[in-house]
Amino acid sequence: MKKLRTSLTALAVTAASLTLTAPPATAHAATEMGCQTSRAVLDFRDNTTGRYYCSGVHAVGKRADYFTANHWSGWLDTSTGDILFCDGERFSMLGVHVYNLVLNETRAGWCL
């Protein structure tokens, strides 16, 4: 797990390998560009679960305890900064507020 303190806009502009641009400040729904049977999963503090099957920007607006990427790469826009993730990662978030989840259509350039 890598954290960046840059804004989503700066990240989208400087990371030439991304297939997504920065999400609009008022994103309310996902803009789907590709879907798969594998899902990214957020386990929320309120004992609910978010499952995301399609690439794009997903407005979340909740506190999360765990994240599982499965076959996705992308980033989480959170109250503690952006968290980049790659396929197969699972990590604890301990109640961090997640504003947006961004799932790349293709593997992110920062993933080896």
Side-chain angles (χ1 to χ4, degrees):
M1 173 175 63
K2 301 173 197 149
K3 288 189 177 187
L4 293 180
R5 296 289 177 186
T6 60
S7 70
L8 286 177
T9 301
L11 181 63
V13 170
T14 59
S17 63
L18 291 177
T19 59
L20 296 175
T21 57
T26 58
H28 293 290
T31 302
E32 297 177 5
M33 297 191 326
C35 300
Q36 58 179 316
T37 57
S38 178
R39 66 198 177 282
V41 180
L42 278 165
D43 294 318
F44 297 113
R45 174 106 336 161
D46 64 2
N47 293 321
T48 61
T49 302
R51 294 174 181 88
Y52 306 90
Y53 294 88
C54 299
S55 64
V57 180
H58 302 272
V60 177
K62 295 175 86 171
R63 295 192 176 278
D65 283 330
Y66 295 97
F67 177 72
T68 305
N70 286 314
H71 296 293
W72 289 100
S73 63
W75 70 90
L76 294 154
D77 172 22
T78 76
S79 57
T80 61
D82 296 337
I83 301 171
L84 305 178
F85 60 87
C86 296
D87 308 52
E89 286 192 73
R90 175 174 166 74
F91 48 86
S92 175
M93 299 185 66
L94 301 175
V96 169
H97 189 91
V98 178
Y99 302 112
N100 294 295
L101 165 64
V102 181
L103 299 177
N104 285 353
E105 186 172 14
T106 59
R107 187 173 188 138
W110 57 81
C111 299
L112 300 175

